[in-house]
Amino acid sequence: MHVGDGDVEEIFSNGDFDDVAVFDGSITVNGWLQERTEAAMFPGGEIETIDASFTCATSLVADVRNEMAVVIDETTYTVKRKQKVGPGMSLIMLKT
């Protein structure tokens, strides 16, 4: 079985967990937002916080570059880096 670009795009827009990201006001993509996590204390130290990230179809973010502005759920982020993470999927690391 082969997963194509259309299949991945459908997964990210099926309504279960999808968020809309608008990159530089011109590239609109559905995907999944993982919001920034907070630091947690535990005996002996603190767990590092994790910045927000956005997972989406690779085919739709070919023109997304580092330092681009992106608005997701009325919050503005900056693209930190983009990484392919699976068949047709990319993880975009964000910073506020």
Side-chain angles (χ1 to χ4, degrees), residues 31-74:
W32 301 329
L33 174 66
Q34 170 62 53
E35 295 187 45
R36 181 178 182 271
T37 61
E38 298 296 324
M41 296 297 294
F42 67 97
E46 183 174 284
I47 297 173
E48 185 176 332
T49 61
I50 298 173
D51 286 335
S53 64
F54 187 74
T55 306
C56 60
T58 299
S59 62
L60 300 178
V61 291
D63 294 330
V64 169
R65 303 286 181 249
N66 291 352
E67 302 304 319
M68 261 189 178
V70 58
V71 177
I72 307 170
D73 293 337
E74 300 180 6

Side-chain angles (χ1 to χ4, degrees), residues 6 11-12 18 21-22 25 39-40 47 49 54 57 60 65 80 93:
I11 290 168
F12 288 114
D18 53 311
V22 181
I47 297 173
T49 61
F54 187 74
L60 300 178
R65 303 286 181 249
K80 194 171 175 179
M93 301 303 295

Side-chain angles (χ1 to χ4, degrees), residues 5-37:
D5 287 342
D7 298 322
V8 173
E9 292 168 16
E10 178 63 28
I11 290 168
F12 288 114
S13 62
N14 69 9
D16 288 339
F17 306 104
D18 53 311
D19 293 290
V20 177
V22 181
F23 295 88
D24 271 359
S26 61
I27 303 169
T28 302
V29 179
N30 282 12
W32 301 329
L33 174 66
Q34 170 62 53
E35 295 187 45
R36 181 178 182 271
T37 61

